[in-house]
Amino acid sequence: MKKNLLAGLVISLLASAAAAIEPFTVRDIRLEGIQRVEAGTVFSYLPVKVGDTMTDEMAAQAIKALFATGFFKDVRIEMDGGVVVVVVEERPAIAQIDFIGLKEFDKEQLTKGLKEVGVAVARTFDRATLEKAEQELKRQYLTRGRYAVTITTTVTPLERNRVAINFTIDEGEPATIRQINIVGANAIREKDLLAAMQQKTGGWLSWYTKDDQYSRQKLSADLETLRSYYLDRGYLEFSVESTQVSITPDKKEIYITISINEGERYLVSSVKLAGDLTLSEEEFRKLVKIRAGEVFSRERLNETTKAITDKLGHQGYAFANVNAAPELDKEKRQVAFTIFVDPGKRTYVRRINVTGNTKTRDEVIRQEMRQMEGAWYDADRVAKSRERIDRTGYFNEVTVETPPVPGTIDQVDVNVNVAEKSTGNISIGAGYSTAEKVILSGSISQTNIFGSGKHLGLQINTGKLNRTLGINYTNPYFTVDGISQGFDVYYRTLNPTSLGYAFQSTSWGGGIRFGFPLDEKDMLNVGLAIDQTTIDITPITIATPIQYIQFQKEHGDSNITLPATVSWIRDTRNSAIYTTSGGVQKAGVEVAIPGVDLSFYRLTYSNQQYFSLTKDLILMLYGEVGYANGLEGQTLPFYKNFFAGGVGSVRGFETASLGPVDPLYPDTRLGGTRKVVLNAELLMPFPGFDKALRLGPFIDAGNVFNETGYTISEGGLRWSVGLTAAWISPLGPLKFSFGQPIGIEKNDKIQKFQFQMGTTF
């Protein structure tokens, strides 16, 4: 009845828009009222053409067709002799869309979502579509647990038949979880199940973790977590019976009730291998993580199928299928598994395609590839290739896909897509001390100059004590085998007169170095340099340490050394920027070749490791030791001593302020022949910044020592605790630390706040 009434209403409207006419031949068609819509667009929708016979029925069809386009809010058909006049009134166009009060979502994200439902700048404005968009916005907020959200939409007419749309949003407070009940948990304590879930009732850290804020997506993830929790403990028949979410009338608190059926616990009775065992069964057996007699675990079963799939992938079987079929014995509560192996056909790589590199040359990326074109596909080599490209530090993101070649069953392409990042860097370090006030240091570098993969850097330090100007250059692929070559040139002055003692040193030098890859993770570096250092001591100043005066008497004002270096580096990091696992080990030997003015050696070792405690919680541990001494009966030059304290060492203490002091002048730091530094940091992303901002507590320890007159037992380690933050900001990388020394000694120099900042280009 309603449908008939509506049809009659439409017909009557069409009839009123086009009065009854006598049929005639159309000589011409004229359009009136169009502003933005092209005439050709209107003609393409009109069912009437020149030469047609115009009738009432055809006029009604024309009006209906033009209304259906959504471009017009009024359409009339008029006759002027043999001319059909189409009079239209266009709907306004959307000129701008603004959001007021938006905090929960990114504006670009919402704008993109509105476009998908038909509301976007330059689109035709339609009230019904706008109401649909408003409901979609509310739905998005409800998924974030913001049930108190209110959205007021304002449409403002503008000149030239346009409108501006404003969404005024009062997001309200997110609904927090008041209580979670799990009904049916008997074998496993409800307390343990709640601890495994991502969403929780409020705790003392909820202001940071926001784990008490309800989210529909998080609840779905938690249900899957519960399922995995039971399946990993043998409950094969576990199921979630129902989930109820209720909200209080004030829309501020959420109550969640989850009803589950645990089922029975199953033991594994046997594990068999079947199918095409390309490798020997014994080799496959070594990969089976689940054993007969054990409690069933889905996690171990998945590890088994993945290990077999990966093994086949390393042998060139890119499309291997490995599936486990269970056979339940409900009476004995046992399950037997048959793992079916189908390796498919052995696959080779047809072509490697590189995309996204708008600046970096193709060969820079291809030289990091370990999977070769024309060779058998090797999943391990493909993974290593992606990792090596990522570790160059030239790209924000590296993705590798291996789609099959159309029309073949034994070929794949390797598609490498990269997202370029700014590899130029201008960094500035700053600190404040009572001796030097504000200390500035900086560097400018380009690690991918002209997209060639070569590194070029300039270092500058403007501190009163230490002024440096240095240039370094590295070609990581000096040869096609991956041998690197580089050189360094520097000029620096040391002028610690502000500390009360008068000596100055001027050093210049340079050197060449080569790097030899030992394997995928290890590199051996060798180098040879020349250094000339001139010492200027004013003996009349009693604050000059006696060690410095004695060194000048023995070796004169100016000395030349030829330092030869050998170092080993092992890099196992999974990423050069956002490291979450792996680390870097370095061991080095520096020897000033005997037979020149000065001869000595320095030994150093450092180890930095990252551990993923949870998805977002990263533990970083760092240790560094050093030992140095003279050769051929000489003492170690005092300006080659180790120093500790400050950023990159023991935070909370002034830079190079730790270690032995002059007996007569306790404010004078002499450095030492032995060095120990230990750091531990717990890093976590700050909410709303993803991985761009990470912060957490740290604890540092370290000191430098001499072999005589200052021992570990007498001097001891210096300790500090504090907070650190690292932010990859739009302006460049920023790093802050606030350290509080523990057990401050009489002569310690404190510098609690330290930071480094820079920008990329």
Side-chain angles (χ1 to χ4, degrees), residues 168-243:
T168 303
I169 304 172
D170 181 1
E171 296 182 334
E173 292 297 323
T176 56
I177 300 173
R178 178 66 174 177
Q179 186 175 340
I180 302 176
N181 295 319
I182 301 178
V183 179
N186 300 312
I188 298 177
R189 295 185 305 173
E190 183 182 24
K191 178 181 178 181
D192 295 334
L193 296 176
L194 293 175
M197 294 174 61
Q198 184 179 1
Q199 294 189 126
K200 306 179 186 297
T201 54
W204 67 278
L205 269 180
S206 293
W207 65 272
Y208 170 74
T209 61
K210 303 188 185 302
D211 56 3
D212 64 337
Q213 294 184 7
Y214 172 74
S215 165
R216 191 178 303 167
Q217 290 87 345
K218 289 182 180 180
L219 179 59
S220 298
D222 281 335
L223 295 179
E224 183 57 35
T225 298
L226 291 179
R227 184 174 288 104
S228 297
Y229 194 94
Y230 272 93
L231 289 175
D232 290 342
R233 287 157 180 78
Y235 295 90
L236 266 171
E237 299 176 302
F238 170 84
S239 63
V240 177
E241 300 294 327
S242 64
T243 304

Side-chain angles (χ1 to χ4, degrees), residues 722-737:
L723 293 173
T724 184
W727 181 24
I728 308 299
S729 74
L731 299 178
L734 302 174
K735 188 167 186 179
F736 305 88
S737 65

